[in-house]
Structure formats: C-alpha cells, structure tokens
Amino acid sequence: MNEVIQTFEGWYSLHDFRTINWSSWKYVSPDERAQASEELATFFHDWKLTEDSNLGSSVVYSVIGQKADLVFMHLRETLEELEELKIAFNKTTFAEHTLPAYSYVSVVEVNSNMTKPDVHPLEDPDTLARLKPILPAAKHICFYPMNKRRQGGDNWYMLSMDNRASMMRRREIIGGAYTEQVIQIITGSIGLDDWEWGVTLFADDPLQFKKLVSELRFDEVDARYSDYGDFFVGNRLDAARMETMLKI
Amino acid sequence: MNEVIQTFEGWYSLHDFRTINWSSWKYVSPDERAQASEELATFFHDWKLTEDSNLGSSVVYSVIGQKADLVFMHLRETLEELEELKIAFNKTTFAEHTLPAYSYVSVVEVNSNMTKPDVHPLEDPDTLARLKPILPAAKHICFYPMNKRRQGGDNWYMLSMDNRASMMRRREIIGGAYTEQVIQIITGSIGLDDWEWGVTLFADDPLQFKKLVSELRFDEVDARYSDYGDFFVGNRLDAARMETMLKI
Amino acid sequence: MNEVIQTFEGWYSLHDFRTINWSSWKYVSPDERAQASEELATFFHDWKLTEDSNLGSSVVYSVIGQKADLVFMHLRETLEELEELKIAFNKTTFAEHTLPAYSYVSVVEVNSNMTKPDVHPLEDPDTLARLKPILPAAKHICFYPMNKRRQGGDNWYMLSMDNRASMMRRREIIGGAYTEQVIQIITGSIGLDDWEWGVTLFADDPLQFKKLVSELRFDEVDARYSDYGDFFVGNRLDAARMETMLKI
Amino acid sequence: MNEVIQTFEGWYSLHDFRTINWSSWKYVSPDERAQASEELATFFHDWKLTEDSNLGSSVVYSVIGQKADLVFMHLRETLEELEELKIAFNKTTFAEHTLPAYSYVSVVEVNSNMTKPDVHPLEDPDTLARLKPILPAAKHICFYPMNKRRQGGDNWYMLSMDNRASMMRRREIIGGAYTEQVIQIITGSIGLDDWEWGVTLFADDPLQFKKLVSELRFDEVDARYSDYGDFFVGNRLDAARMETMLKI
Amino acid sequence: MNEVIQTFEGWYSLHDFRTINWSSWKYVSPDERAQASEELATFFHDWKLTEDSNLGSSVVYSVIGQKADLVFMHLRETLEELEELKIAFNKTTFAEHTLPAYSYVSVVEVNSNMTKPDVHPLEDPDTLARLKPILPAAKHICFYPMNKRRQGGDNWYMLSMDNRASMMRRREIIGGAYTEQVIQIITGSIGLDDWEWGVTLFADDPLQFKKLVSELRFDEVDARYSDYGDFFVGNRLDAARMETMLKI
C-alpha cells in the first residue's frame, strides 16, 4: 500500500545566503567597485527579463542579524540553470567580498490535496501559477526548513494517509486565515537537501510571520510532528536599495 | 479551537555579539584609532538621542569568557531600523577589528495573561512601557534563548490552554520574588529566529541571575517543558568604559 | 546466534566533495591556469583508462548550493589506490584553489538476499558487475549517508533476521519500480566512516530522486528505522564542461 | 513549595582555554619574544600577589591533545576582575599568538547539605575556605562541565528534594573515598554559562581522574541523571615550565 | 555496592590526527623541506628507540578521505611524555604545514574479567604485554571512540554487574573469532576525554574492520547500549612511505 501523497512539482529553487566581507569590500578601488555595481545591475536586469518571459523568478533580501547579510532566492525550470546562476555569481567581483552562509536546494511543490477535483492539476492555470510562482515584492521574507518528525510515538510517516490528510486539512485552515497577510511558498526537498521542506513566507508586516508560525505550532501537525531548522528574516532589496547598502 | 495565547508586541530587538580581533586592533595607526573612537562615540550619542525621543533603546556590555567580547542590544520600532544599525556598524573602522560571535532577532512580547482586565493593553501606559522599554543601566546582563519542549510526554504545545496558564501563573510568582533584584525582558522569536524566546536579564548583583534561573529550573514549566540555548553574561559598558577597554 | 546478514563487497569508494576558492582561482596567471587545466585533463584521461581496464570507475559532478562545488566519486580495488588518488589530486595546481567540503569512505556492498540462489555470488557475472560497477553517465547525482536506527522501541539491530529480511523485501519492491529512472549504488561503511551506508543515486531527471526517496520514507524500514546525513545533488561534468565551468 | 536546595557562593571563576599559534610564535623577533616573556612573568607574579592577599587564585596547565594548549583558571571576587584579567591578557604580545579554544564562567558553590548544622556557613572558616579556595599545586588538572538531566522518566528537577538529597549523600560517599587522591572544586553556572556546573579536579596521579569519574558513573545520580560536556586534562605549568614550553 | 568493574591501566595514549596544508607545503624552499624531512626522520628514529627500550610505542598512518591526512598514535608511560611529544612536533618545520584535525587522550585498559584467575594481573606477562603493547605493523588502522549508552530503558550503567559481565562475555566471543585478522587495542578515557573508550583496530585486510564492527553491532551490547563517534581509517606509513607522500 503506497502511503505517499501525490505531489506536483514546478520550478527548482535555490536559496543562496551570503555574508558580506565588509573589511575587504571597504577597500576595493573605485574602478573595481564600479565594475562590481555594474555586474550586480546586470544580474538584476537579467533576472527581470527571465521573470518577464515567465522562465523563473528571483528576489533579494537583506538578512537581519549575523546569520547572513543577503539572501538570493531563485526559481528556475532546471537544476542546470540554478548551477549557472551560482557559478555566474561566484565569478563576479562582488562575490569575492562575500562568504557562503547557508543555502537550500528544493523544488516548488503542490500537494494533490490542494488541487481541484475536476481538472488535471497541470492543466489548471491556478495550480500552474502556484507551481511556477512569480515571487512577490513583499517588504519582508522569512525562510526556514522543516521535517516531519519520526520519533517514538510521534512518527508522521507511520500514520495512515487518512489521518495525515485530515490533520493537514485542519492545519490549512490556519494558514488560510493569513492569506491576506502572508504569501507562503512550499518547496519540497526530500532527496535534494537536508530537510524535507523549505518554507518561504512573504509579508509586508513581519509580525505576521510570528503570528502565523505561533498559531501553527499549537496545531498537532506542528506540535507533535514537526522539527525546524534555522529561521532567517530579511528586508526586501531592489537594485537601488542594494546599491545604497553597498555604498561606502 | 485556537490554543494560542494572545500576545502583544512592541519594539523589535537585535542582540549583536561581537568578538574583538585584538591582534589587528593593537596595530591600527593612531589616526585610525582616533577615527574609530569618534565613530563609536557618535553611535553612543545617537543611541542616546533615539532613547531620549522614546524611539528605541540601546545598551552595550562587555561579555565574560570567550564566547564574545561585546554585546550590543538594540530595541527599535522596525526591522528596517535594526538593519540600518547593523549595516552602519559594519561600515565603521572599529567593526573591521571585530568578528561576528552570535546574534538574536526578536520582538518585545507581553502575554495577554499579564495585562490588566479592564483596559485595552495598547492603551495602558504600564503595558506600553513594557512593550517599549528603556533598557536599564544595570551593572550586569544575562541573555539566553529558549524553547518550550515538544518531546514525547513532555510536549508544551499539546497541553490545554488552561493547563499552560495555571503553570505559567505559578512560574510568575517565582519571577515576582526577584523584581527588586532582576529586571527581565522577554522577546518572542517564533518565526524570527531559531529559538522561541529570548530572555534578557539585568541585575546589579550577577549572583541573582544564578538564583533566579536555578529556582525557575525546579518549576515544572522549566523542569519538564523548557530547553535553553547558550548563556551570555556581561558587565555594563558606557562610552567612557568602552574607550578604556579599547585603549592599547 | 549470528544475526548479521551476509554481504559481499566489491570496490572501495571515495566521495570527495570540494569547494572552489573562486577568489584565488580568478587571479591565477594564464600559465598556471593552463597547467591546472592540463593536470585535470590528465586525470580525466587516466580515470578513463582505469575504467577501460575495468580497474575502477570515476565520475565528477557539479554540486548545487553552497555545500560544495564539485564531487569526485572514485571506485577502486584498494584503499591504497584511493589514498593515491587523494594525494595526487592534493598536489595539483587546481587543488590549491579548492577547500575540502565533505568526504565519504565506503565499499560497494551487495546483500546476500539479493544474490541468486544457485550460483556463488562471486562467480555470478551479474553480482560481480554490481560489486565493481562502471558508474553511469547520468545527468544528475544524489548522495546521502544513512544509519539504521537504534532508539528505544525503534532498534533495527534488535529485530530478528527474518523480520528484517521481510521488511527489506517490501522495500526493494519500491526501489524496483524505479530501476528505469534511477540507478542506485549502495556502499557499506560500518567500520570505515561515520554512517553505516552511503547511497548514491544517478538519474537523468532529478525529480526522480525526490519521488524515490519520498516513497521509501513512508515504508517502515525508513519511517521507523532510518536516519540520514546530508544530501548532495549535482549535475554531471565531463572534461569539456568542467573546463567551461572553470573558465574566468 | 520551593524545591531548590540552598547554595552558598564564593569566588567567581573563569576557565580560559587557549591554543598556541606555533606557526606565528616561532617567527617573532627576539625582542618581541623577550617582551612576551616578561609580560607573562608579570602576570604570574601578580597572580601570586593576589593569592597571597587572599583575593583570588590562579593556575595554569598545559592541555594534552588538540583541544587546547593552555588553560588558565582564575578565581576572583567579582565578574569585573575576571573581565579585567581577560582583557589584560588579550592585550599582551603572547596573546597575539594564541587562539580561543574554550572558556567557562561560573562561581564556586557549596551546597547547604555540605555545611555544618550549628554554625552559619558564612561564619564557618571551613566553608569559607571552600568558597574561596587557594587552588592546589597538583601535577594534573581535569575539567568538565555537566548538567543534571531532564529527559522523559529521567528528570532530576522533577524529583522531590528528599529523593535528591538522599541520592546526593550516597554519591558523596564515593567522592569521599578519593579525598586523599583528588581535590574537587564545584562551580555553579546556572544563569552564567551553558552547563549547570563545572567540575575541576586536581590530582598528582591522573589515573585517579579515571577511577573517580568511572565510579561516579555507576552511581544513579550520574548513570540516570547526568550529562557531560567536553573533558580537558592537563599538566601543571609554573612560570619556569611555561618558559621552557614556549622556547623555540 | 560498588558496581564498577575493576580495570588495569597501562600506557597513556595520544591519537593525533593532522591535516596537511598542501598549498603551503608545496611552496617551501628546498632547504626548509630538507630540514622538515630530517626532523621527521629523527622523530621516526627516536620513536623506534623508545619502542626498543620498551618505554612506549608509536605508529603513523595516512588517513583516507578529508577528515585528516595523518594520524600519529603514541603510547607512553606518562601524560608528561605525551605533552612533550605534542610540543616537540608542534615546533617542527613540518608542523607549520599541518592543521589539527582531531585528537584523543586515553589510557590502555584491560578489564579484570579478561585476566587470569590465579595470578595478579600486574605480575602476569600476558596482561602486562596487553597493557604496554608494541603497536603492530599492520597495513591498516581503524579508530573510533565510543560510549556505553544511558538513555531511558537502554542504560548500561543501571544494569547489574552480573548482567553486564554476561553480555560482555558473549561479545568477546565475537571479537575472539577475529583475533587472526584484527588486533584490537582498547583505551579507556572516562575522565580523560569526551568519550568513554577509544577502539583502535589493526588489520592487513581493511574489510575485516567492516566485518567485525558489523557483527558487533548486532550484539545486544552494541545494538542497545553503544554510541559511536567518528570513524577514521588509514594506510600504514613508515619513514620511507611518508617521505614519498610528502615529495612534491
């Protein structure tokens, strides 16, 4: 008996967290700084073109605290494109003044429970839009990876599919109450990275991250069956704000 | 049934722990050292202005042991201001001679259990003062992050709200006995950082940290339902004492 | 009563994950870069010769995300040859511009349950081919180490051999459904490295890694009795694609 | 019902573990080396004066293995003095050639169970001598931090005070059999550092560390209710032996 | 009732794992390289003299994978000699081109269960030879540290001495079947290092490490009551092979 719930997958995702080496960045020559700025501007421009062609989506946020200074989140059709983005960035002048802080590889995932009954998900424009989402221009981002727990009496993977489905429905009601305030993108990473899912939240009011995640934590799915990795919170950067940030 | 206890949030908080790179700091030129001192003095001055305008609060402590040398604790209205403080500091001369040691992002939190029954908390001056607190000039600081436990039979998030509330009331009696000796600021970090809460204690006698935390540990809430991160303890630094500390 | 299931072992295996130091690699002189390229080309050539002589097999993949930039997977007859490969690589010019990221030492393993009843496994060409496999030229690789769990009521090593064998048979049916899409190489590492097994998967469609590993996770062997280390995913590199990748 | 056992506290304690950067130390000029030696000799001299005035105590040991090369253990009246010691050391020439390895902040603790019934502990010279101990000149040191466990059925903090007291009495009989061979200093660190206690043992025969800690481990308090951090073992250094050690 | 099984201790042991900094080693001048070689040759020579005088034993192995490049295992009468060996090595030219990777401090241990009934162990030449063993010239080494478990229902230290002794006897039968293929040296480290025992195995066929450790893992002592640290595997180096390895 196959107990795996069917999922549909869309764009592959790379969360790329970087720390700026300010001590070296402060001392680059004006020429080098100009070149670095131009390279970054070109990236922002290219990412916009990709997005306009509906071939992917990219956003950049400034991370609060010491865990990282920047996070680039990229959605693309293939792992090959994510590799290309990574290598292209690593060859830039600016990248010489950054250090890797954390990264996450996953793929946008929609659960079959969440698709419409009378249309094939991959022919439903709503589902397709969720599988290949244009990332929102929200003021704040929150990212954390998570697992379903497999510990003694609290083993999600030993529950029946019905039991899991009914628990997930209750949980989705909570998330549903926040659709106005928080946009949530679930990416699956079983077989791709160390945790089972990545959760990326977008909101204009960062307090909504706290309210939503707190409410979920009291729901049985999270209370008994979920473990979390690190949480990262950031403020949106567009090309102009990033230039200001990097000005010395 | 929503089991989340209502909370009120005030200022956002950044605990920024730094290690001094003494080997490089010792060899900066007198000019550079003068510039670094001036920058730091300006920060202290600006933070004082912010505090005087009731727009936030900042303190600096010298950390004991090797975990860090300094901790800057900043309270501000928005995450944007915390980002600004971080980036401004990272661009200073002194910052070149420090290394990140640890940081914590959270928001001042007051539990609805702790507010008065007949007035809306956000219209109660006492509650407002607790949500946007001017940090005390105590001689010592103690910071640690913590989680409520979710392990087998010891799962805080599976307890009823009544059960949790009555346990928390007993626990507050313990804390209440220390109000003369220890000022306690609770910041919530679910959805913002890796632990669920940050606890910042201020006292003139550091032994009171040990006495209070020990007593709490024998209370069921801590004994069965709490896990802790690292503990940091420090001595207060004002601009003058910091200058002395950095003198070579 | 000996409860160990009999295994047959083939080639020793080294997974060697490396991070490229782009900041130094970008600034090597054209001469040094030419020398580095030549050395790498010689390695690719030698590895091909080894493979043609059926004395081992080697592949290289570009890793997605920050965990590593490259993984070299080498299969050889002896640990001495794996040591030689490691040291030879460490003495190259290119190696100066890489940092160790992760490594895994193990040996190709075939379980006696999976061999034919009427022929000695080491005289059966099929089993021999599985013990000394030529690594496929698949577009993608997935590697992760794993343990069988020994925790309270979930202790694999306290189960009877019959119980384990019947659970493993069910599990192999799942893996069997993916033979078209995923090539799986199991290497044993009890007594050789920190986890008990290494799992290396090859596929042209990386989504199949997610599908296979997800399905296995709902099977009791994984759900109750397995723990995993880090997951690494990569894109195939041949000599030409590696040269492009390293071009500045 | 307050279940905290009363404790008395004496001097604050800093264990400061350092690794020597031999690669840089080997190449300092004779002048710089002379200055470094003089600074260290002055420290040893000052620490002796402090001890002679009964205002604290300090010892230095050479740590075996790679965890550290040196440990400085300082007892002083206040956290301010421990901060001063740390900063003074960090400003020395020798400190430039060391790296932080580990540190521990705690305070000498005597349990009320271990004080005499008919005299106030702080007026009893024996208890006072234990609260402000002059560290012995034993040939070897052993340091490890520890917690009382709070896991499922093995939760020390949920036991009654009587139960804990009677278990501790049995345990003290074991320690009592080693008073000739091992001097034991318990420092409490709840609210001060990451573990609940630091244990510092002194002996002329290091095998006695193994014998004592092994015997304790079979006692229920340790077997069921204790977790340990890292163990550090070292050989005593006086000023002369330290000079020899640092000679190139 | 003292439940500690009596042990006898012999030579102290230091496992010293090092990583070679190839990027710096490649560029040392011929003079410096010659000096480094001479120093290493002198060490090998001195270690041989120590062994010939039966005052200790030392071996060197080349470690497979990235965890380390070399392991020096030293047995000596005292911790003072182990300290001397460490410091002497750290002052060599070659050491400047190595980085610490891992170390382990312990003491050769023989269990009283394993000694003869009618002769005092310390007067029995067989037991003495096991307490002060000359390390074998086997082609391969395997090292791992381990603990006996103290978790809920699986608490070795809460079992009766009889129960433990009978389990250990069964376990020794397994080890006994490998005496031809694997030489095993158990070193105790309670009170000396982070784990309770170090296990060092020597074999000409490294597959025997896997076979032995696998078989032990299905025995109750390991299945229910043992936890392991990292595993290191290596190939024997004599002075000549080490010189070849270090040749650029």
Side-chain angles (χ1 to χ4, degrees), chain C residues 99-134:
Chain C
L99 297 160
Y102 189 68
S103 72
Y104 209 75
V105 177
S106 50
V107 60
V108 181
E109 177 183 306
V110 170
N111 197 304
S112 62
N113 275 357
M114 299 165 71
T115 56
K116 297 169 194 163
D118 50 354
V119 53
H120 188 284
L122 298 184
E123 285 166 10
D124 173 21
D126 288 0
T127 302
L128 284 175
R130 289 167 64 204
L131 289 171
K132 305 189 172 186
I134 299 305

Side-chain angles (χ1 to χ4, degrees), chain A residues 154-166:
Chain A
D154 296 343
N155 192 323
W156 179 258
Y157 291 90
M158 294 297 289
L159 301 175
S160 74
M161 193 189 277
D162 278 2
N163 199 345
R164 282 180 278 127
S166 79

Side-chain angles (χ1 to χ4, degrees), chain A residues 10-234:
Chain A
W11 283 338
Y12 284 93
S13 165
L14 174 64
H15 290 76
D16 190 7
F17 294 85
R18 303 269 171 164
T19 296
I20 297 174
N21 180 354
W22 289 101
S23 297
S24 70
W25 176 246
K26 282 172 69 176
Y27 295 106
V28 302
S29 67
D31 276 12
E32 211 177 336
R33 192 184 313 275
Q35 189 194 332
S37 288
E38 209 172 303
E39 284 170 349
L40 284 172
T42 307
F43 275 127
F44 272 93
H45 182 71
D46 289 352
W47 298 339
K48 181 77 177 61
L49 290 184
T50 301
E51 204 168 286
D52 290 347
S53 319
N54 211 28
L55 295 170
S57 186
S58 294
V59 287
V60 191
Y61 283 77
S62 165
V63 178
I64 314 297
Q66 295 176 0
K67 288 181 194 164
D69 288 319
L70 297 168
V71 54
F72 300 90
M73 179 176 179
H74 299 297
L75 301 180
R76 290 296 183 279
E77 288 280 350
T78 63
L79 286 184
E80 280 80 359
E81 288 160 278
L82 293 184
E83 181 198 342
E84 239 174 79
L85 280 167
K86 167 188 161 177
I87 292 175
F89 181 79
N90 278 333
K91 292 183 180 174
T92 63
T93 298
F94 177 60
E96 292 173 44
H97 306 283
T98 69
L99 297 159
Y102 189 67
S103 72
Y104 209 75
V105 177
S106 51
V107 61
V108 181
E109 178 183 304
V110 170
N111 197 304
S112 62
N113 275 358
M114 298 166 72
T115 56
K116 296 170 193 162
D118 50 352
V119 54
H120 189 283
L122 299 185
E123 285 166 10
D124 173 21
D126 288 0
T127 302
L128 284 175
R130 290 169 62 204
L131 288 172
K132 306 190 173 186
I134 299 305
L135 298 170
K139 285 191 193 154
H140 299 284
I141 197 172
C142 170
F143 172 77
Y144 62 97
M146 64 178 293
N147 278 347
K148 285 290 189 294
R149 196 177 274 185
R150 302 178 291 114
Q151 277 178 13
D154 296 343
N155 192 323
W156 179 258
Y157 291 90
M158 294 297 289
L159 301 175
S160 74
M161 193 189 277
D162 278 2
N163 199 345
R164 282 180 278 127
S166 79
M167 278 202 266
M168 286 305 282
R169 272 191 296 273
R170 283 206 312 269
R171 190 178 192 276
E172 269 145 38
I173 294 168
I174 300 173
Y178 282 84
T179 40
E180 295 288 306
Q181 297 93 342
V182 182
I183 294 170
Q184 180 170 329
I185 293 178
I186 302 296
T187 52
S189 44
I190 295 184
L192 299 176
D193 213 324
D194 302 350
W195 298 79
E196 297 173 345
W197 288 275
V199 179
T200 312
L201 308 177
F202 295 93
D204 283 334
D205 174 6
L207 212 51
Q208 299 306 314
F209 299 146
K210 181 170 185 279
K211 296 293 184 189
L212 170 57
V213 181
S214 295
E215 234 178 285
L216 290 173
R217 196 149 302 178
F218 283 96
D219 181 72
E220 195 176 358
V221 172
D222 272 35
R224 286 189 59 190
Y225 296 110
S226 298
D227 287 309
Y228 316 101
D230 287 357
F231 283 77
F232 297 85
V233 169

Side-chain angles (χ1 to χ4, degrees), chain B residues 26 66-67 149 210 247, chain D residues 16 96 150 193-194:
Chain B
K26 282 172 68 175
Q66 295 176 1
K67 288 180 195 164
R149 197 177 274 184
K210 181 171 184 278
K247 193 158 287 168
Chain D
D16 189 5
E96 291 173 44
R150 302 179 291 113
D193 212 324
D194 303 348

Side-chain angles (χ1 to χ4, degrees), chain E residues 61-124:
Chain E
Y61 282 78
S62 164
V63 178
I64 314 297
Q66 295 175 1
K67 288 179 194 165
D69 288 318
L70 297 168
V71 54
F72 299 91
M73 178 179 179
H74 298 297
L75 302 180
R76 292 294 184 279
E77 288 279 351
T78 62
L79 285 185
E80 280 81 358
E81 288 160 277
L82 293 184
E83 181 198 343
E84 240 174 78
L85 281 166
K86 167 187 162 177
I87 292 175
F89 182 79
N90 277 334
K91 291 182 180 173
T92 64
T93 299
F94 177 60
E96 291 173 44
H97 306 282
T98 70
L99 298 159
Y102 189 67
S103 72
Y104 210 75
V105 177
S106 50
V107 61
V108 182
E109 177 182 305
V110 170
N111 197 303
S112 62
N113 275 357
M114 299 165 70
T115 56
K116 297 171 194 163
D118 49 354
V119 54
H120 189 283
L122 298 185
E123 286 165 10
D124 172 20

Side-chain angles (χ1 to χ4, degrees), chain B residues 68-97:
Chain B
D69 288 319
L70 297 168
V71 54
F72 299 90
M73 179 178 178
H74 298 297
L75 302 180
R76 290 296 183 279
E77 288 279 350
T78 64
L79 286 185
E80 281 80 358
E81 288 160 277
L82 293 184
E83 181 198 343
E84 238 175 79
L85 280 167
K86 166 187 162 177
I87 292 175
F89 181 79
N90 278 333
K91 291 182 180 174
T92 63
T93 299
F94 177 59
E96 291 174 45
H97 306 283

